[in-house]
């Protein structure tokens, strides 16, 4: 072995008047302990380096960057009260944001139940340079339902544990220190909401719950009247162009407002166009360089909200004899692309990036068996099932550097993809996949009623509560929208096995209509409804099963392997059963067994035209010891060089007849 380096919809508390108490100061209040990792907890080398001063300081939104921002991570006051109790006047201690209350890195590491409410409080002073601008307060993710107060005023609520959300807090702010209070509830596995593998009583494949803030909290100023709110970038490789849309925070149209898009590489402008706000346009890219795992090339993109001389016909006599532009369409796009830009500074500026790549389903090395294709070429994809759990941060990686190390380790091991398993990562994770060239199959986090989860032998899909379906679809839509611009994400996975699976044909058609530019995996494993771009089986037998051939879909093995090896002194809980699907107790046997299963996948590539396979898994997780790395990421169970040689053979032979 080698040691590695370092549903209820929320019912907001609207009872009585909100009680304002003393604000968080630089020093803990009397009786409040200072932050530390509780003793006896498993940590990573990156977690060992975390402090309140350095916790997640990186810019959190790499695809939509503004120059001015303020990071609100760090120590907040916290209290846990009964769910039905009024807001507390006294807080119980200090918690390190953005780590969940159950995690070691939060400094609290305590259980949280559906009958509890978690309260956060801190003071924040708006930077003086932000005066006369609107102020947005962003939460990367909060599990699960939360309500925000600023200076005692109720700002708003949010429901959903996997997506980023924003409040405009401008009207609630005052000079000097502002009190920010957040109240959170979390039903965990007592509800139907999307939650992945969280369970109040973790065991087997079910893990410690995550409650409260678990991604970065931050603020930024935006122009007072209107600002850019969203960019959408869709590659059109066949026509050497990028479809671009810039949406503003306002729903109205102003003929004199437009967005100037500029694509560049290494500071050299390669394309530019002007598009009316809240409309689509095209960036034509001469001699485009395509994105792939071997060459993950990214273009820089700038979007500027500007004023132009409106090309639309003015009202009255001034417009007589001039053509009328249609509200939408090619003629309007051409007119705005040529519009005169009025002098003055842009009203708003954001920077981003994009990659050009094309995904399709077509011919492969096995005649008659459709294959997944990237940029017009058949590609064999091999990568790990990646849970994204960490012993010290749980769903929250201990640091950006920890994420980067793990992704780079997977690249060194020769993998060209990963399946992000029923979790949505922080935005920076996908940015690193984009720049490193790791294809991502993105799962929708599962959610279901524990009494209604179907098994593969069931007759038909079980019913789901209407509220549960509505929340699941809302969060699915949010996930697709938030991650839409990442070139690394190549497949949406709607259902994992039978975990809350419902209305598969309708959901598959819906997701494919929302985003036809990506592959769609209707169900990975278990109950196949003959929908989507792939037929996906799971096989954890020692002798790896093969999927049957399909005339209309690619065939993939969505999970296999799961070979276990419990490494002493690197176990989550040595007193409990630590398991793999088959478990071995020394490195030579473990390496031989992993290699045996990967060789079976290589054979399937040659013989049946397999398009992809997902090995379980990147790292151990709690009681599961079937990772290529230990849970603390301190031990490599299999050298990456050995894996790289296997992957080289897989990709090379997998695409030969």
């Amino acid at each position: 072995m080698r040691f590695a380096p370092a549903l209820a919809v929320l019912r907001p508390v609207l009872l009585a008047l909100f009680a304002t108490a003393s604000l968080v100061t630089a020093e803990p209040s009397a009786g409040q302990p200072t932050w530390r990792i509780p003793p006896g907890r498993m940590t990573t080398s990156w977690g060992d380096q975390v402090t309140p001063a350095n916790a997640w300081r990186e810019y959190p939104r790499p695809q939509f960057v503004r120059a001015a921002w303020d990071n609100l991570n760090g120590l907040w006051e916290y209290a846990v009260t009964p769910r039905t109790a009024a807001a507390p006047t006294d807080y119980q201690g200090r918690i390190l944001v953005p780590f969940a209350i159950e995690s070691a890195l939060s400094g609290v590491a305590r259980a949280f139940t559906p009958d509890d409410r978690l309260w956060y409080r801190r003071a924040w002073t708006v930077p003086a340079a932000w005066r006369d601008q609107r102020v947005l307060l962003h939460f990367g993710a909060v599990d699960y339902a939360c309500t925000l107060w600023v200076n005692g005023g109720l700002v708003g609520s949010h429901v959903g544990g996997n997506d980023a959300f924003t409040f405009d807090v401008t009207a609630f702010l005052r000079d000097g220190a502002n009190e920010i209070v957040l109240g959170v509830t979390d039903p965990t596995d007592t509800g139907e909401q999307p939650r992945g593998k969280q369970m109040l009583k973790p065991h087997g494949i079910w893990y410690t719950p995550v409650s409260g803030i678990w991604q970065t909290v931050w603020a930024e100023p935006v122009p007072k009247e209107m600002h850019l709110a969203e960019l959408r970038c869709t590659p059109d490789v066949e026509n050497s162009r990028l479809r671009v849309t810039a949406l503003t925070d306002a729903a109205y149209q102003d003929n004199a407002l437009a967005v100037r898009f500029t694509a560049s590489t290494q500071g050299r402008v390669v394309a530019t166009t002007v598009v009316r706000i809240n409309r689509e346009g095209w960036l034509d890219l001469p001699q485009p360089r395509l994105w792939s795992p071997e060459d993950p090339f990214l273009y820089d993109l700038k979007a500027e909200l500007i004023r132009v001389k409106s090309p639309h016909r003015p009202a009255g006599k001034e417009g007589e004899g001039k053509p009328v532009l249609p509200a939408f369409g090619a003629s309007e796009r051409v007119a705005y692309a040529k519009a005169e830009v009025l002098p003055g500074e842009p009203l708003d500026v954001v920077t981003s990036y994009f990659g050009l790549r094309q995904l399709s389903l077509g011919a492969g090395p096995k005649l008659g068996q459709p294959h997944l294709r990237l940029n017009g070429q058949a590609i064999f994809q091999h990568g790990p099932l990646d849970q994204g759990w960490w012993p010290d941060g749980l769903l929250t990686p201990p640091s950006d550097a920890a994420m980067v190390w793990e992704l780079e380790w997977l690249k060194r091991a020769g993998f060209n993809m990963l399946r992000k398993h029923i979790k949505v990562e922080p935005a920076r994770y996908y940015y690193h996949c984009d720049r490193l060239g790791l294809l991502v199959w993105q799962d929708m986090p599962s959610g279901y009623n524990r009494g209604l989860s179907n098994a593969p032998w069931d007759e038909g899909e079980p019913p789901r509560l209407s509220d549960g379906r509505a929340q699941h679809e809302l969060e699915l839509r949010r996930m697709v929208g938030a991650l839409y611009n990442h070139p690394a994400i190549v497949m949406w996975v709607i259902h994992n096995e039978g975990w809350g699976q419902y209305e598969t044909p309708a959901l598959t058609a819906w997701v494919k209509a929302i985003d036809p530019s990506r592959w769609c995996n209707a169900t990975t494993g278990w109950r196949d409804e003959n929908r989507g771009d792939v037929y996906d089986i799971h096989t954890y037998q020692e002798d790896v099963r093969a999927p049957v051939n399909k005339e209309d879909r690619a065939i993939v093995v969505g999970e296999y392997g799961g070979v276990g090896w419990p490494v002493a002194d690197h176990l989550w809980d040595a007193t409990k059963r630590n398991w793999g699907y088959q478990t071995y107790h020394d490195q030579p046997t473990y390496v031989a067994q992993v290699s045996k299963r990967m060789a079976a996948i290589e054979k399937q590539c040659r013989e049946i035209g397999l398009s992809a396979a997902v090995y379980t898994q990147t790292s151990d997780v709690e009681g599961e010891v079937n990772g290529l790395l230990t849970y603390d990421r301190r031990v490599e169970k299999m050298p990456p060089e050995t894996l790289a040689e296997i992957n080289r053979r897989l990709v090379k032979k997998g695409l030969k007849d």
Side-chain angles (χ1 to χ4, degrees), residues 102-356:
E102 297 93 343
S103 72
L105 287 175
S106 72
V108 181
R110 59 155 287 176
F112 184 79
T113 77
D115 295 323
D116 296 331
R117 191 179 301 273
L118 171 58
W119 298 90
Y120 294 85
R121 183 175 65 177
R122 68 156 291 161
W124 178 61
T125 300
V126 181
W130 296 11
R131 188 174 295 276
D132 297 326
Q133 299 180 81
R134 305 202 69 78
V135 177
L136 305 181
L137 182 59
H138 302 283
F139 292 84
V142 176
D143 198 346
Y144 172 67
C146 66
T147 301
L148 176 71
W149 291 265
V150 173
N151 293 324
L154 178 62
V155 178
S157 301
H158 180 266
V159 177
N162 303 289
D163 51 278
F165 57 96
T166 300
F167 294 111
D168 185 334
V169 296
T170 310
F172 298 86
L173 298 173
R174 62 192 180 200
D175 292 338
N178 293 273
E179 182 190 59
I180 299 172
V181 172
L182 190 75
V184 183
T185 58
D186 184 7
T188 309
D189 58 320
T190 65
E192 278 198 13
Q193 82 288 351
R195 62 183 178 274
K197 287 194 169 186
Q198 301 179 55
M199 189 167 281
L200 289 168
K201 295 180 179 179
H203 63 279
I205 63 170
W206 308 104
Y207 311 146
T208 303
V210 167
S211 303
I213 298 170
W214 67 277
Q215 290 188 31
T216 292
V217 183
W218 59 292
E220 68 174 337
V222 295
K224 196 168 186 178
E225 299 302 323
M226 180 188 292
H227 63 271
L228 297 172
E230 184 178 347
L231 300 181
R232 292 180 191 162
C233 301
T234 308
D236 181 2
V237 171
E238 287 186 357
N239 295 296
S240 300
R241 61 184 185 175
L242 181 78
R243 188 172 73 218
V244 289
T245 306
L247 301 173
T248 65
D249 64 309
Y252 64 87
Q253 282 289 350
D254 183 330
N255 294 342
L257 284 177
V259 177
R260 178 169 54 208
F261 288 96
T262 304
S264 62
T265 175
Q266 297 182 330
R268 180 177 62 86
V269 173
V270 296
T272 186
T273 192
V274 175
V275 181
R276 188 181 179 188
I277 60 169
N278 301 324
R279 294 283 201 269
E280 291 184 346
W282 298 95
L283 269 174
D284 293 311
L285 298 159
Q287 299 178 323
R289 183 172 168 183
L290 301 186
W291 184 97
S292 69
E294 298 76 26
D295 182 20
F297 181 78
L298 299 173
Y299 289 88
D300 295 319
L301 182 66
K302 180 190 287 187
E304 302 168 282
L305 182 60
I306 58 175
R307 295 192 182 278
V308 298
K309 186 174 181 180
S310 173
H312 284 262
R313 186 175 72 176
K317 290 186 177 181
E318 186 181 350
E320 290 180 3
K322 295 184 178 180
V324 178
L325 289 176
F328 294 93
S331 58
E332 184 190 60
R333 285 197 295 269
V334 171
Y336 272 87
K338 297 179 179 179
E340 178 185 347
V341 176
L342 298 179
E345 292 295 317
L347 305 177
D348 193 14
V349 179
V350 297
T351 57
S352 185
Y353 65 86
F354 65 91
L356 281 180

Side-chain angles (χ1 to χ4, degrees), residues 368-641:
Q369 174 56 61
H371 205 89
L372 299 176
R373 297 169 68 88
L374 172 66
N375 299 331
Q377 300 292 323
I379 179 175
F380 181 76
Q381 299 171 68
H382 190 225
L385 189 74
D386 197 287
Q387 311 266 14
W389 285 76
W390 301 78
D392 38 19
L394 301 180
L395 279 184
T396 312
S399 68
D400 190 70
M403 291 195 312
V404 171
W405 179 87
E406 186 165 271
L407 292 171
E408 290 180 340
W409 190 90
L410 294 176
K411 286 287 287 188
R412 285 196 293 122
F415 295 114
N416 62 0
M417 62 84 78
L418 61 87
R419 178 179 158 212
K420 181 47 60 179
H421 191 36
I422 51 177
K423 176 195 177 183
V424 180
E425 291 280 3
R428 291 191 62 85
Y429 183 92
Y430 303 101
Y431 158 67
H432 292 309
C433 291
D434 291 341
R435 68 177 185 82
L436 292 172
L438 270 169
L439 304 172
V440 177
W441 294 13
Q442 178 62 51
D443 286 14
M444 172 62 192
S446 300
Y448 54 91
N449 183 315
R450 285 179 297 180
L452 294 177
S453 180
N454 59 307
W457 51 83
D458 284 350
E459 295 183 3
E461 297 173 322
R464 292 277 305 263
L465 292 169
S466 296
D467 284 349
R469 295 200 309 269
Q471 186 64 32
H472 187 92
E473 289 157 27
L474 173 62
E475 295 191 41
L476 174 59
R477 183 84 188 224
R478 288 173 178 168
M479 181 185 77
V480 172
L483 303 180
Y484 183 84
N485 291 339
H486 289 284
I489 297 177
V490 294
M491 183 182 293
W492 302 119
V493 182
I494 299 175
H495 292 306
N496 176 68
E497 297 178 341
W499 301 3
Q501 181 177 342
Y502 76 100
E503 297 177 6
T504 300
L507 287 178
T508 306
W510 182 54
V511 170
K512 199 67 178 176
I514 293 170
D515 183 9
S517 71
R518 288 181 170 87
W519 301 310
C520 184
N521 188 338
T523 306
T524 175
W526 291 20
R527 183 178 182 82
D528 179 55
E529 291 285 341
N530 197 31
R531 295 294 191 275
D533 295 307
V534 299
Y535 172 61
D536 183 328
I537 72 163
H538 293 178
T539 169
Y540 284 112
Q541 294 84 352
E542 185 173 352
D543 294 322
V544 179
R545 291 190 303 115
V548 297
N549 287 107
K550 298 288 181 179
E551 295 181 353
D552 59 343
R553 291 181 289 168
I555 54 175
V556 304
V557 174
E559 293 180 25
Y560 82 101
V563 178
W565 173 27
V567 179
D569 301 323
H570 297 274
L571 300 175
W572 176 250
D573 186 345
T575 67
K576 294 185 178 179
R577 176 179 175 241
N578 292 277
W579 66 280
Y581 288 91
Q582 296 87 35
T583 302
Y584 306 93
H585 296 276
D586 62 84
Q587 188 179 38
T589 306
Y590 171 83
V591 170
Q593 291 296 326
V594 172
S595 301
K596 173 185 174 182
R597 287 155 181 77
M598 292 184 176
I601 294 296
E602 181 184 320
K603 182 180 179 184
Q604 291 183 22
C605 294
R606 295 194 310 269
E607 295 183 353
I608 65 172
L610 192 72
S611 278
V614 179
Y615 180 84
T616 301
Q617 58 185 331
T618 300
S619 74
D620 297 349
V621 184
E622 300 198 358
E624 297 181 27
V625 293
N626 47 19
L628 297 168
L629 302 165
T630 54
Y631 195 20
D632 56 13
R633 275 68 164 185
R634 296 179 190 268
V635 177
E636 299 169 336
K637 297 185 186 181
M638 193 162 175
E641 296 81 6

